[in-house]
Amino acid sequence: MANIDEESPAAVRMPHDRLQDYVAAIFRAAGSGADEAETVAAHLVEANLAGHDSHGVMRVYKYVDWVQAGQVVPNQHATVVTDRGAMVLVDGNFGYGQVIGREAMAIAAERAKTHGFVAVSIRNAGHLGRIGAWAEQLAEAGLASFHFVNTSGFGILVAPHGGSDRRLSANPLAAGVPVAGGRPVILDIATSVVAEGKIQVMKNKGEQLAPGLVLDGVGRPTTDPAAFYADPPGAIFPFGGHKGSGLSFFCEVFAGSLSGGFASNPESPTAGRLVNNMLTLAFDPAAFGGADFFADDIGRLVAWTKASPPIDSGGAVLLPGEIEDRTRAERIRDGIPIDGGTFARIVAAGESVGVPRPE
Ligand code: NAD
């Protein structure tokens, strides 16, 4: 591949459906069946539509590399390892996380409806992408949910509070709740102060980071994204100091250790590949205080919270998920912007599997 850092390729803006077709063609050419290619492409493009470019199509070139290196195995499905009704453990067999996650969430929806509650534990999935997508899938089924995610091995990126090198993963948390007559409320956050992909985006754009996000390889704060990717590599701070660091630790516990998929550790057997593990807790409101009560109370909570007078004139209280909804509407209308460096890498990945650059 050409040294793209030394070039300044032009940024592009593509309609989301065209981008999805192009990306799906790359995944098909890299060995995925048509359904899988479409599922992975749709998930990545949906992350771009939501404004999370770090989890969008910029992943294409990494995924193609991982498939070529045998780290992600195309055409795998979630295998049920343990089934106790309201508790299910599935193995992702190192398949694409977008497929494993969708299949596991379908199990979660069905079991939560049957038992009122389910804990679904996933181990050995490939990258599960934008975790809010899984809360959205369950909210569409009328369920409230909470998700803990960790990355075993390969994804160690974050310094624990008080530490100066990478020990924990970016370990996202997501939660979702359906809202009667409206879009669900979806919280979707990494426990790192910034998602690693956003550092990659800034590096691809040749821009500096805000202060307070990362340390360089010798434990000094830096704003240079390249220093984070140097040898030795740097580390990302947890969000909120000891609070994010503590939540991240428990993502390791609930997603990694509980599932059998391992907490972050460079000695773990899966340390050489990017593996996401996830614990999903899903709740059917009908089995708790009642579906009608829940819907009404969520409606009251949404209205009450949003009615807080804005601290800034012209501002507004946004609930989790609202920014993504706004960005989605804009990008469906105007297309998805992709910086030139990222697009050049996607094109190179496509060409490496025989897919020509799109017009
Ligand atoms: P972020 O900091 O942009 O936070 C996003 C969340 O905050 C959303 O719920 C959003 O609606 C809410 N939000 C943002 N601005 C708001 C405002 N002004 N008012 C109210 N709510 C607001 O996201 P992040 O932590 O950088 O994570 C980015 C993405 O990276 C997520 O989709 C996450 O799932 C993904 N991620 C995945 C992995 C993985 O291993 N698969 C690891 C880390 C992160």
Side-chain angles (χ1 to χ4, degrees), residues 52 55 127 129-131 151 170 172 186-190 195 198 276 318 320-321 323-324:
H52 291 292
H55 287 69
H127 190 232
R130 184 178 72 93
I131 305 307
T151 313
I186 303 288
L187 177 70
D188 178 19
I189 51 168
K198 290 182 178 162
N276 269 157
L318 298 180
I323 287 218
E324 285 79 3

Side-chain angles (χ1 to χ4, degrees), residues 194-249:
V194 63
E196 181 268 332
K198 290 182 178 162
I199 307 172
Q200 181 72 56
V201 170
M202 297 300 267
K203 181 168 174 280
N204 288 358
K205 287 181 178 173
E207 292 177 13
Q208 291 290 297
L209 300 166
L213 302 184
V214 300
L215 296 156
D216 68 14
V218 290
R220 290 174 311 207
T222 179
T223 57
D224 178 6
F228 174 78
Y229 293 103
D231 185 18
I236 312 177
F237 285 109
F239 85 84
H242 61 285
K243 299 184 186 185
S245 191
L247 278 172
S248 182
F249 182 89

Side-chain angles (χ1 to χ4, degrees), residues 57 233 289 296 302 326:
V57 295
D296 290 348
V302 166
R326 288 181 180 187

Side-chain angles (χ1 to χ4, degrees), residues 9-20:
V12 300
R13 188 177 279 273
M14 275 178 86
H16 68 97
D17 44 359
R18 249 189 87 202
L19 182 60
Q20 186 170 318

Side-chain angles (χ1 to χ4, degrees), residues 76-79 97-108 134 137:
Q76 299 302 302
H77 294 282
T79 310
Q98 286 81 2
V99 172
I100 305 303
R102 192 178 65 165
E103 292 175 351
M105 292 309 99
I107 295 172
W134 311 122
Q137 187 176 334

Side-chain angles (χ1 to χ4, degrees), residues 131-132 146-149 170-175 187-191 239 244 247-248 250-251:
I131 305 307
F146 201 96
H147 311 256
F148 295 88
V149 177
N171 293 347
L173 294 166
L187 177 70
D188 178 19
I189 51 168
T191 50
F239 85 84
L247 278 172
S248 182
F250 277 97
C251 284

